[in-house]
Amino acid sequence: MGWTDERVALLKQLWTEGLSASQIADRLGGVTRNAVIGKVHRLKLESRAKAPATLQTHAAEPQPVRQVEVETVEVMMASRFVASQAASAPRAMPRSMGATALKIDHEEELEVLEEPRRQSGEVVPIARKLTLVQLNERTCKWPVGDPLKPDFHFCGNNSKDASPYCQYHAKMAFQPVSDRRRAR
DNA sequence: CCCTGATTCGC
DNA sequence: GCGAATCAGG
């Protein structure tokens, strides 16, 4: 396909509207984004709309990770909850942990410490409630809670050797496939 | 990894 | 003029 008048007109319009080269290429069809960019340059179009069409924004802008309370709190969630919540989280983490997504706002309100109702007798280890920035080579990176919620944090207990998890969470993380269904 | 535009250069 | 390949950057 060549650059007919219509196609060039459409190109100009879309480019001016702020669509990206690849998006324009998709809409035009029969051309790649490189072709579009090349054409744009040849047409000497450069300036674009200030407010781009941000349709394609990646969902999940990192929700503000809350400040830390390096205090020790006992986790009192029922094991059932922990299991289901935690079992899936580790897989999702790498996404949001991508270096790009680590901006941390400091415009947050104070954390509401829900008071633990211990005694539930669960053997869940005490979490240190660490946020992303607190993690280091030796802290358990087992995520706790909903990453989109303010109370999200990491287990934070010391992990053995190079393990990313503490002893307790390592067991959950590396369960044999055959056992997983049970735990979830 | 995904994406962006910019440039080069053989066609 | 065209656009794939490549580069530089987010």
Side-chain angles (χ1 to χ4, degrees), chain A residues 82-158:
Chain A
V82 171
S84 61
Q85 192 73 3
S88 53
R91 301 226 176 279
M93 272 336 283
R95 278 283 107 202
S96 30
M97 280 185 79
T100 327
L102 299 186
K103 263 188 270 178
I104 297 180
D105 289 349
H106 284 299
E107 40 126 332
E108 79 288 310
E109 51 204 271
L110 287 181
E111 192 55 37
V112 182
L113 303 183
E114 69 286 338
E115 78 161 80
R117 49 190 274 289
R118 8 199 115 187
Q119 91 179 72
S120 48
E122 284 306 335
V123 201
V124 178
I126 287 117
R128 289 180 59 205
K129 278 203 155 185
L130 300 186
T131 50
L132 214 42
V133 289
Q134 253 69 28
L135 297 176
N136 62 43
E137 311 71 35
R138 296 271 152 115
T139 52
C140 177
K141 297 162 192 64
W142 189 269
V144 180
D146 184 344
L148 297 181
K149 296 261 215 77
D151 61 341
F152 173 71
H153 61 276
F154 293 92
C155 167
N157 280 306
N158 289 134

Side-chain angles (χ1 to χ4, degrees), chain A residues 2-43:
Chain A
W3 288 106
T4 62
D5 288 356
E6 300 88 80
R7 289 166 65 76
V8 172
L10 187 50
L11 165 59
K12 285 180 179 174
Q13 185 200 312
L14 296 176
W15 181 259
T16 304
E17 283 178 7
L19 295 192
S20 70
S22 61
Q23 289 177 311
I24 294 173
D26 288 343
R27 290 202 51 176
L28 286 173
V31 286
T32 64
R33 73 181 196 91
N34 282 317
V36 169
I37 292 173
K39 188 60 179 174
V40 163
H41 282 207
R42 266 171 257 124
L43 289 172

